[in-house]
RNA sequence: GUCUCCUUCGUCUAGUGGUUAGGACACCGGGUUUUCAUCCCGGCAACGGGGGUUCAAUUCCCCCAGGAGAUGCCA
């Protein structure tokens, strides 16, 4: 905002403001998780709100952890969220390739430039200290800094492939103005000792590749998680070594689990596909995630993707980490679920019905119609789409058992329960389920005649019909079930009560 | 250990040099309702601590504490 006021316009054709170009740069090593998606979304919203360009770049420089499914998951996640990259491996663009493993020659060339400039060096002494995941790190002791020609030749004859290390100055410090956090400083001597830029397998590390690509792709703003703050000074050093101007940085607050540590698998579902499978709607997830570290004002919290594409601003990003609250997401989902158009809700629900084996796949018109008819019964009872299965089981499957203790209202006995069940069912049969109000009135009259509460009359019937004390509205349930099937269930429940009274 | 960042109800957050510190989720209570759910009403609940600066600090500064992140030939 301040920038707009100062410049007077953010129209890139009439002002000096460089165009906004941002990127989401995931590494295809696992399924997209909430934290990554939050970063993707914020980048996307920022780009759209500033009429800029949103780029997807695949950072696959760790071939040992690469998974093809993970790559597919990135695209699938974007599709589901309804966002698309202006430039990406799939869409192409003028700054490609957008997959780092296809840019190796570029990195090598730049590596050479760094060595020639005396800002980096090939280290032959670290070849043996590779370690696997859990191992303790042994700090690098600069052993490769000043090797003699003959020493290098010796290593080369042994077949040692060197790693490229950045020559970190002993003096000085890096300072930058983070758009979210403000001024951040770090002394060069506090950086890791001469970090590796190029691995012995010929692939660049994140630090090198990210700097080269962001520069070459003319990235204007880097929006990434705060876990990157400590290595930003290192990146600045690399930009400086190349003689390049760095982009602007905006470090997003971390997303934490309930216990306050970085959100991870042990906090429950954290991957986008899992939420999707459980039946969260894309718009609910997007809305909830947008509020993780960002807010518009003191009251509004419902935002469509369109809203966010225009309302999102960096100024409203929070500094403090946010705890992921599954219950609030659930609430959001319920809200969205409740005012979904019938057609869409049906389409969203159908896969769960099919998975339960209650509908063909592809679904027939009859499958669809049946579900549509059931919608009013369950709509406001859904928190997630998968709730539909337990909610409608009594319709699609037969009731096998009528637990006696459920059948008998509190403080009553089997004999009275039987009387009430009979009376209630008789009223249903006589009145029919076509007109809910009429049936309702009739049931009330019957209860009064029997000198009991309406609930006592209905609970045995509810359990008879649905097999449970908790169910969708009774009258509608009976109607959807059909009188015949309902009658059979009443008879079944009646037998249970019978056997008890005898 | 070292470095960096962070700190308003349990959670997401708004906010200000002087406010009854606001909203939402959750929770509790009540109402509507044939159960559950929805819906409505009400309630509980926060400026981490200590120093400054100031007529006045939750707000500005410093210190402490706590939390998190980083410290990999992972990103």
């Amino acid at each position: 905002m301040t920038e707009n006021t100062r410049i007077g316009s953010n129209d890139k054709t009439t002002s000096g403001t460089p165009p906004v170009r941002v990127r989401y740069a995931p590494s295809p090593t696992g399924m997209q998780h909430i934290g990554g998606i939050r970063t993707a979304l914020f980048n996307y919203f920022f780009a759209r709100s500033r009429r800029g360009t949103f780029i997807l770049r695949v950072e696959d420089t760790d071939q040992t952890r690469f998974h093809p499914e993970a790559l597919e998951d990135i695209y699938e996640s974007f599709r589901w969220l309804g966002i698309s990259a202006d430039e990406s491996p799939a869409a192409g663009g003028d700054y490609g390739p957008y997959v780092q493993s296809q840019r190796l020659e570029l990195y090598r060339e730049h590596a050479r430039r760094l060595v020639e400039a005396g800002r980096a060096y090939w280290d032959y002494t670290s070849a043996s200290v590779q370690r696997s995941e859990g191992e303790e790190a042994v700090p690098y002791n600069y052993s490769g800094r000043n090797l003699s020609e003959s020493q290098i030749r010796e290593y080369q004859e042994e077949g040692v492939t060197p790693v490229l290390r950045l020559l970190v100055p002993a003096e000085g410090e890096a300072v930058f103005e983070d758009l979210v956090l403000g001024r951040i400083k770090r002394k060069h001597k506090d950086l890791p000792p001469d970090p590796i830029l190029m691995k012995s397998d010929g692939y660049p590390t994140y630090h090198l590749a990210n700097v080269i690509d962001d520069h070459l792709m003319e990235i204007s703003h880097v929006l990434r998680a705060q876990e990157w703050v400590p290595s930003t000074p290192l990146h600045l050093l690399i930009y400086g070594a190349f003689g390049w101007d760095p982009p602007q940085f905006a470090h997003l607050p971390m997303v934490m689990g309930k216990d306050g540590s970085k959100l991870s698998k042990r906090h429950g579902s954290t991957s986008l596909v899992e939420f999707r499978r459980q039946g969260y709607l894309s718009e609910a997830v997007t809305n909830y995630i947008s509020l993780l570290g960002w807010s518009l004002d003191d009251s509004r919290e419902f935002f469509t993707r369109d809203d966010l594409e225009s309302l999102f601003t960096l100024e409203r990003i929070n500094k403090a980490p946010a705890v992921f609250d599954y219950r609030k997401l659930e609430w959001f989902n319920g809200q969205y679920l409740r005012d979904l158009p019938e057609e869409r809700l049906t389409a969203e629900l159908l896969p769960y019905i099919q998975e339960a084996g209650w509908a063909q796949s592809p679904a027939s018109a009859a499958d669809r119609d049946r579900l549509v008819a059931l919608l009013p019964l369950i709509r406001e009872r859904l928190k997630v789409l998968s709730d539909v299965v337990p909610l409608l089981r009594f319709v699609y499957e037969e009731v096998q058992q009528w637990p006696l203790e459920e059948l008998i209202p509190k403080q009553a006995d089997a004999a009275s329960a039987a009387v009430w069940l009979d009376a209630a069912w008789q009223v249903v049969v006589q009145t029919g389920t076509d007109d809910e109000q009429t049936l309702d009135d009739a049931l009330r009259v019957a209860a009064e005649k029997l000198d009991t509460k309406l609930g006592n009359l209905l609970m045995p019937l509810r359990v008879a019909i649905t097999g449970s004390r908790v169910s969708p509205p009774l009258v509608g349930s009976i109607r959807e079930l059909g009188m015949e099937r309902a009658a059979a269930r009443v008879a079944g429940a009646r037998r249970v009560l019978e056997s008890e009274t005898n």
Side-chain angles (χ1 to χ4, degrees):
Chain A
M1 269 317 156
T2 48
E3 204 171 325
N4 282 354
T5 348
R6 182 160 49 80
I7 309 280
S9 163
N10 66 355
D11 184 342
K12 50 192 170 188
T13 60
T14 62
S15 81
T17 317
V20 166
R21 289 178 55 82
V22 294
R23 45 61 167 190
Y24 174 53
S27 64
T29 54
M31 298 297 108
Q32 287 298 296
H33 57 99
I34 295 301
I37 289 301
R38 199 277 310 262
T39 302
L41 250 16
F42 279 28
N43 271 283
Y44 173 80
F45 294 142
F46 178 61
R48 288 290 171 271
S49 70
R50 296 280 295 263
R51 302 187 173 288
T53 305
F54 176 57
I55 297 154
L56 171 65
R57 183 173 73 219
V58 176
E59 310 226 325
D60 59 344
T61 53
D62 186 350
Q63 352 93 89
T64 61
R65 296 199 308 152
F66 174 79
H67 291 292
E69 326 83 80
L71 187 56
E72 185 46 45
D73 182 62
I74 293 169
Y75 294 122
E76 188 49 36
S77 297
F78 272 37
R79 196 158 30 240
W80 188 65
L81 292 168
I83 67 177
S84 61
D86 304 302
E87 296 173 24
S88 72
D94 298 337
Y95 298 78
Y98 295 92
V99 177
Q100 290 186 327
S101 59
Q102 294 169 19
R103 302 170 64 84
L104 297 183
E105 195 42 54
L106 228 35
Y107 305 131
R108 289 188 189 121
E109 183 188 316
H110 282 85
R112 280 193 290 273
R113 276 169 58 177
L114 243 27
V115 174
E116 278 162 25
R119 305 300 296 264
Y121 61 93
W122 294 105
D123 167 26
Y124 287 84
T125 68
S126 302
S128 55
V129 298
Q130 278 186 57
R131 66 196 180 89
S132 50
E133 206 130 344
E135 270 175 82
E136 182 81 3
V138 183
Y140 173 60
N141 61 1
Y142 302 103
S143 53
R145 260 197 189 185
N146 296 302
L147 297 179
S148 66
E149 294 283 325
S150 63
Q151 279 175 307
I152 290 176
R153 209 170 308 116
E154 218 170 288
Y155 278 115
Q156 284 173 334
E157 275 161 16
E158 281 173 39
V160 172
T161 36
V163 294
L164 182 73
R165 286 185 184 273
L166 182 72
L167 197 58
V168 177
E171 300 294 316
E173 65 177 5
V175 186
F176 69 102
E177 209 62 49
D178 189 276
L179 263 19
V180 171
L181 299 173
R183 179 166 301 231
I184 292 174
K185 291 186 204 185
R186 192 173 183 187
K187 295 183 178 66
H188 293 332
K189 69 173 175 56
D190 291 327
L191 287 172
D194 291 359
I196 292 176
L197 300 181
M198 196 73 96
K199 307 179 235 181
S200 54
D201 64 2
Y203 281 71
T205 56
Y206 169 83
H207 305 298
L208 211 224
N210 138 274
V211 166
I212 294 175
D213 289 346
D214 283 347
H215 176 259
L216 261 25
M217 294 182 180
E218 296 181 36
I219 298 302
S220 62
H221 298 73
V222 171
L223 274 57
R224 61 186 4 169
Q226 270 177 24
E227 58 187 322
W228 292 107
V229 170
S231 48
T232 304
L234 164 62
H235 301 161
L236 256 14
L237 212 43
I238 301 174
Y239 280 104
F242 279 120
W244 297 336
D245 286 333
Q248 303 238 66
F249 293 95
H251 286 96
L252 278 18
M254 304 278 293
V255 179
M256 312 301 234
K258 198 87 199 124
D259 62 355
S261 69
K262 195 163 134 184
L263 192 65
S264 67
K265 314 93 233 149
R266 69 194 163 78
H267 292 114
S269 312
T270 54
S271 72
L272 196 64
V273 280
E274 285 175 81
F275 284 103
R276 190 179 167 180
R277 250 199 304 272
Q278 287 166 40
Y280 287 89
L281 295 172
S282 167
E283 44 270 72
V285 172
T286 302
N287 196 151
Y288 178 67
I289 287 181
S290 74
L291 262 12
L292 248 28
W294 179 86
S295 65
L296 181 72
D297 55 28
D298 62 340
S299 53
R300 183 168 174 195
E301 58 180 355
F302 279 94
F303 299 99
T304 65
R305 209 180 50 239
D306 276 354
D307 292 335
L308 293 162
E309 287 182 21
S310 58
L311 297 172
F312 185 84
T313 57
L314 258 29
E315 290 77 11
R316 304 286 319 173
I317 295 177
N318 215 53
K319 294 179 180 196
V323 173
F324 189 87
D325 185 354
Y326 292 84
R327 289 188 292 192
K328 185 142 190 185
L329 203 215
E330 205 172 64
W331 175 80
F332 264 114
N333 206 55
Q335 296 288 314
Y336 278 95
L337 235 27
R338 249 161 266 136
D339 45 49
L340 223 47
E342 178 179 283
E343 206 171 308
R344 166 94 191 278
L345 182 57
T346 308
E348 296 283 359
L349 250 19
L350 227 27
Y352 296 88
I353 298 295
Q354 288 166 321
E355 202 185 332
W358 300 337
Q360 303 169 359
S361 85
S364 68
D367 288 333
R368 206 173 294 269
D369 291 347
R370 189 176 190 195
L371 182 55
V372 169
L374 291 164
L375 252 29
L377 258 31
I378 57 164
R379 173 164 224 137
E380 64 208 23
R381 271 157 267 263
L382 295 173
K383 281 217 181 321
V384 291
L385 294 165
S386 58
D387 286 341
V388 71
V389 173
L391 243 23
L392 288 184
R393 172 155 275 126
F394 80 98
V395 177
Y396 287 101
E397 292 176 10
E398 286 312 314
V399 171
Q400 306 294 346
Q401 293 186 349
W402 294 271
L404 188 66
E405 63 280 9
E406 306 280 276
L407 230 28
I408 304 172
K410 303 270 180 260
Q411 269 136 25
D413 54 22
S416 14
V419 171
W420 292 327
L421 176 56
D422 287 343
W425 181 241
Q426 196 186 351
V427 173
V428 173
V429 170
Q430 283 169 357
T431 315
T433 55
D434 291 342
D435 185 76
E436 215 151 309
Q437 190 55 55
T438 308
L439 177 51
D440 195 69
D441 293 342
L443 286 164
R444 278 172 205 283
V445 171
E448 220 165 300
K449 254 185 219 163
L450 289 168
D451 194 30
T452 186
K453 293 183 294 184
L454 184 60
N456 281 345
L457 202 61
L458 295 185
M459 191 49 81
L461 182 58
R462 178 186 308 283
V463 175
I465 298 296
T466 67
S468 165
R469 299 180 82 103
V470 176
S471 82
L474 230 201
V475 174
S477 296
I478 295 172
R479 183 175 49 238
E480 293 314 318
L481 209 52
M483 291 303 284
E484 210 170 302
R485 293 176 72 201
R489 291 184 188 190
V490 170
R494 195 62 182 71
R495 277 194 298 278
V496 172
L497 288 170
E498 196 78 33
S499 62
E500 176 63 15
T501 41
N502 288 344

